[in-house]
Amino acid sequence: MNTNTFRPAVLVARAVFPEVVARLRQHFDVDDNPEDIIYNKAELTRRLHGKAGAFTTGGDRVDAEVLAANPQLRIVANMAVGYNNFDLPAFNAAGVLATNTPDVLTETTADFGFALMMAAARRMAESEHFLRAGRWDRWAYDMFAGSDVHGATLGILGMGRIGQGIAKRGALGFGMKVIYHNRSRLPEATEAAVNARWVDKATLLKEADHLVLVLPYSPENHHCIAAAELAQMKPTATLTNIARGGIVDDAALAVALRERRIAAAGLDVFEGEPAVHPGLLDVPNVVLTPHIASSSVATRLAMANLAADNLIAVLTGGTALTPLNAGQLQRRA
Ligand code: DGY
């Protein structure tokens, strides 16, 4: 390699596949984090000094202050489809490109959402804990009797690519009736392809046997499922959240589960994660997983490679593959 060639510097803020870091090293001077230290804001800001690009994950908050302290930064590539860790208007104002990793995780995440919904409906975690605790001493007619998934009504809140993947699984694989609510209604052809019918939010809450949340987080969506919404659901219903922490009021959900106002929940994301509301840890009728919906080996590798592709493209004179704010940058690109 010609050492006189200018090589932009890039921060990889979290530990990631070594082969992806090696790819980045072919183009950049890389400051990586193989020990996976969680950088606080001051440390992230400091580490970004002199960097033209950054590889982040959903837990790395990049806001106006971080950007203002690093005017040399040109691109931040998030290894996640969600980007609520980015203050996008601040990116636009600072002229910094933001990218995410859509599409490559759609089917894997839909698989997991469906599995989590099934696990909640059929009480898999609860019954497994019972067995492991050595409490299984007989067959019983009503042992961990849950609710059916096949033929039930699947409600989906947020009908983007992942929501549509879940709808397809429900309608085509399990003969479910699928209803959804989304700010904008899908084109008729898309609705027909996934066998789903748009309803208002109140109808969705009232009619769903299994409600799955797949909407992106925004301040408007904060606690969009709270005590009032939980009260509108069937007492036999399940709630699955693979969207983002903060969309559900976890304290209210813990009460609803404890009081059996809904039957069960499956949660992969939490308000303030990795902390989990203690009320949720205390109730048996919830399946809890640590934000792993997109985590198959192949998909996490594809996400990391896509984030790397975005950095390589932009910092070697090309265009980003999956930009979030191209065309909205108010200053230098
Ligand atoms: C995403 O891609 O937004 C996931 O939540 C990260 O795993």
Side-chain angles (χ1 to χ4, degrees):
M1 177 152 315
N2 178 355
T3 47
N4 293 324
T5 310
F6 171 73
R7 287 159 59 83
V10 158
L11 175 71
V12 178
R14 293 290 308 278
V16 71
F17 297 93
E19 59 267 46
V20 175
V21 176
R23 275 190 68 212
L24 291 170
R25 283 199 203 287
Q26 290 171 11
H27 303 271
F28 311 124
D29 284 339
V30 176
D31 176 8
D32 67 337
N33 181 5
E35 287 171 2
D36 206 26
I37 295 158
I38 304 290
Y39 300 145
N40 63 22
K41 182 167 161 176
E43 184 62 9
L44 180 65
T45 305
R46 192 185 73 72
R47 295 252 170 194
L48 282 170
H49 290 169
K51 307 294 190 323
F55 181 118
T56 56
T57 64
D60 304 307
R61 171 108 190 115
V62 183
D63 62 13
E65 273 180 1
V66 175
L67 294 170
N70 288 285
Q72 80 297 332
L73 199 57
R74 293 179 50 206
I75 168 173
V76 184
N78 217 28
M79 181 188 153
V81 66
Y83 51 90
N84 55 307
N85 56 315
F86 287 174
D87 178 345
L88 220 48
F91 273 72
N92 296 340
V96 177
L97 192 71
T99 65
N100 68 340
T101 58
D103 300 324
V104 292
L105 48 58
T106 300
E107 298 302 330
T108 297
T109 306
D111 279 351
F112 191 88
F114 208 85
L116 195 53
M117 180 261 283
M118 288 199 78
R122 297 301 307 275
R123 306 177 64 179
M124 286 184 183
E126 200 181 344
S127 56
E128 203 233 20
H129 294 156
F130 170 88
L131 182 151
R132 281 183 190 274
R135 295 168 57 200
W136 185 28
D137 63 354
R138 71 195 67 188
W139 180 93
Y141 77 97
D142 60 348
M143 181 176 268
F144 293 104
S147 54
D148 280 325
V149 169
H150 72 273
T153 297
L154 171 61
I156 300 177
L157 186 56
M159 197 61 150
R161 288 163 282 217
I162 298 168
Q164 290 170 41
I166 291 171
K168 243 186 310 183
R169 282 160 178 76
L172 308 181
F174 288 76
M176 299 179 86
K177 171 179 158 195
V178 182
I179 53 177
Y180 77 96
H181 181 72
N182 203 43
R183 258 184 327 182
S184 43
R185 206 178 148 164
L186 297 178
E188 260 175 50
T190 315
E191 283 187 351
V194 297
N195 250 309
R197 183 167 62 85
W198 186 93
V199 293
D200 59 33
K201 187 177 167 191
T203 305
L204 185 81
L205 294 169
K206 193 167 72 150
E207 291 188 2
D209 293 312
H210 303 292
L211 177 61
V212 183
L213 310 179
V214 208
L215 66 171
Y217 181 85
S218 67
E220 303 78 62
N221 289 338
H222 186 74
H223 285 187
C224 84
I225 300 291
E229 288 75 20
L230 292 163
Q232 294 172 61
M233 293 176 67
K234 298 179 184 178
T236 50
T238 70
L239 174 72
T240 296
N241 186 8
I242 56 164
R244 273 292 181 270
I247 285 184
V248 175
D249 177 343
D250 285 349
L253 176 60
V255 173
L257 288 167
R258 193 177 64 237
E259 296 178 354
R260 306 275 168 177
R261 286 195 244 131
I262 66 168
L267 305 175
D268 186 49
V269 288
F270 305 87
E271 258 186 301
E273 61 185 53
V276 175
H277 191 284
L280 291 171
L281 297 171
D282 267 359
V283 286
N285 47 342
V286 60
V287 187
L288 306 168
T289 53
H291 201 147
I292 56 166
S294 64
S295 192
S296 71
V297 177
T299 291
R300 284 284 167 90
L301 186 58
M303 291 165 70
N305 271 317
L306 180 52
D309 289 342
N310 277 314
L311 283 167
I312 294 166
V314 170
L315 296 179
T316 61
T319 25
L321 284 82
T322 49
L324 288 165
N325 59 343
Q328 294 167 53
L329 305 185
Q330 287 152 31
R331 282 210 288 122
R332 79 193 149 70

